[in-house]
Amino acid sequence: MDISTYVLLSHEQALRRRLDIAANNMANSETAGFRREAPVFHEYVETMEGPPPREAPRDARATRFVQDYRARLDTRSGAFQPTGNPLDIMIDGPGWLAVHDAGGETAYTRAGFLKVSEAGELVTSGGAKVLDEGGQPIAIPPDALPTLAIAPDGTLSAQTGPLGRIGVTVFEDDSALSQRGDGLMAGSGGRSLGANETRIRSGGVEGSNVQPISETTELIDILRSYQSSMAISKAIDDLRRDAIGRLGRIG
């Protein structure tokens, strides 16, 4: 393949990456706490050099390819969705709920569907243990269940008194987080917010910040870019075929 085909291929790989991310965003438009992703690409420049007389023309020495860099999170919050459950929460501002998954690994989520497990611990709807500000699971005594309440600073209390404070972790750059594929995020280097820095709303959860109309527009744009790429590819094939035909007639 010549250089034009490689450039075209890098563009189509970028389009495939855009398509995967846009489709995932669309599929999670109703997922509580989901943060929209957007691809980030780098321009990769390849310099063509060689000794005379094979030296490339000056205008053709720098060839630019598209290189996948990473996906970044859209940090805008989703809308508050009331549920009527006093244990359901939404982080009003930056931050993530820290949880322990089934394997004991620390992960992060903004999906605030919470409940008390049979073992008497505060967990997410998927069974991950919600951690307090010290990174430990929060135990709930059986007699505290009827009067549980969550304060705006994350303090979980009952009629008998405080039971702990839900930890909220922030990252200097949310790009340090990555999707695990199970509704949780993996990351490291976070900082736990203090009580005066935490803002939590109870009685509801955060909706997805995905805008379906915007994602539909993105999918249409990707489709049109694919169509343009196919047209260019066909034009390149026609040029090759014409060149081969002329060389054949010369021979």
Side-chain angles (χ1 to χ4, degrees), residues 13 15 24 35 39 46 57-58 71 75 79 82 94 118 124 141 147 150 156 168 174 180 185 194 209 218 226 236 241:
Q13 287 177 324
L15 289 175
N24 185 60
R35 287 287 175 88
E46 178 71 22
R58 184 175 298 277
T75 57
E118 294 181 358
T124 65
T147 57
I150 299 175
L156 184 67
V168 177
D174 279 348
R180 299 193 346 167
M185 307 290 290
N209 69 352
E218 172 74 358
Y226 262 123
I236 292 173
R241 189 177 299 107

Side-chain angles (χ1 to χ4, degrees), residues 107-168:
Y108 302 92
T109 183
R110 284 185 66 95
F113 289 111
L114 305 184
K115 61 182 181 179
V116 178
S117 68
E118 294 181 358
E121 293 176 317
L122 188 66
V123 299
T124 65
S125 59
K129 299 178 182 179
V130 178
L131 306 182
D132 63 14
E133 54 189 335
Q136 299 299 318
I138 302 174
I140 310 295
D143 58 351
L145 292 177
T147 57
L148 282 178
I150 299 175
D153 67 354
T155 299
L156 184 67
S157 61
Q159 193 171 16
T160 55
L163 302 173
R165 193 172 75 83
I166 297 173
V168 177

Side-chain angles (χ1 to χ4, degrees), residues 2-68:
D2 59 25
I3 196 65
S4 59
T5 302
Y6 282 113
V7 172
L8 194 62
L9 181 59
S10 74
H11 175 245
E12 291 179 352
Q13 287 177 324
L15 289 175
R16 179 176 179 177
R17 174 68 166 155
R18 285 178 60 192
L19 179 62
D20 289 342
I21 291 177
N24 185 60
N25 288 339
M26 183 67 81
N28 286 281
S29 61
E30 299 296 328
T31 301
F34 182 82
R35 287 287 175 88
R36 177 184 179 274
E37 287 187 310
V40 178
F41 299 104
H42 270 177
E43 182 183 54
Y44 176 76
V45 180
E46 178 71 22
T47 302
M48 299 172 60
E49 296 180 350
R54 295 191 302 275
E55 186 174 3
R58 184 175 298 277
D59 293 341
R61 289 181 186 176
T63 304
R64 290 167 171 80
F65 300 89
V66 183
Q67 187 174 31
D68 184 15

Side-chain angles (χ1 to χ4, degrees), residues 28-249:
N28 286 281
S29 61
E30 299 296 328
T31 301
F34 182 82
R35 287 287 175 88
R36 177 184 179 274
E37 287 187 310
V40 178
F41 299 104
H42 270 177
E43 182 183 54
Y44 176 76
V45 180
E46 178 71 22
T47 302
M48 299 172 60
E49 296 180 350
R54 295 191 302 275
E55 186 174 3
R58 184 175 298 277
D59 293 341
R61 289 181 186 176
T63 304
R64 290 167 171 80
F65 300 89
V66 183
Q67 187 174 31
D68 184 15
Y69 179 50
R70 62 179 172 85
R72 63 174 177 84
L73 290 176
D74 184 343
T75 57
R76 292 175 297 179
S77 297
F80 181 73
Q81 298 179 340
T83 62
N85 180 2
L87 290 184
D88 289 342
I89 61 173
M90 169 183 169
I91 300 174
D92 190 6
W96 302 78
L97 298 176
V99 300
H100 275 169
D101 62 14
E105 296 290 330
T106 301
Y108 302 92
T109 183
R110 284 185 66 95
F113 289 111
L114 305 184
K115 61 182 181 179
V116 178
S117 68
E118 294 181 358
E121 293 176 317
L122 188 66
V123 299
T124 65
S125 59
K129 299 178 182 179
V130 178
L131 306 182
D132 63 14
E133 54 189 335
Q136 299 299 318
I138 302 174
I140 310 295
D143 58 351
L145 292 177
T147 57
L148 282 178
I150 299 175
D153 67 354
T155 299
L156 184 67
S157 61
Q159 193 171 16
T160 55
L163 302 173
R165 193 172 75 83
I166 297 173
V168 177
T169 303
V170 294
F171 297 84
E172 289 188 7
D173 185 359
D174 279 348
S175 64
L177 294 165
S178 59
Q179 297 277 2
R180 299 193 346 167
D182 57 357
L184 300 176
M185 307 290 290
S188 60
R191 175 180 68 87
S192 181
L193 293 179
N196 62 335
E197 300 176 287
T198 303
R199 292 179 297 170
I200 284 181
R201 297 176 66 179
S202 60
V205 297
E206 177 185 4
S208 171
N209 69 352
V210 173
Q211 299 294 326
I213 293 178
S214 297
E215 296 307 317
T216 300
T217 303
E218 172 74 358
L219 291 170
I220 293 173
D221 183 64
I222 294 171
L223 174 61
R224 289 177 176 172
S225 296
Y226 262 123
Q227 291 171 338
S228 297
S229 181
M230 292 175 63
I232 294 172
S233 178
K234 184 178 184 302
I236 292 173
D237 286 342
D238 290 342
L239 287 173
R240 290 199 193 102
R241 189 177 299 107
D242 182 63
I244 293 171
R246 293 190 180 193
L247 288 173
R249 286 195 298 271

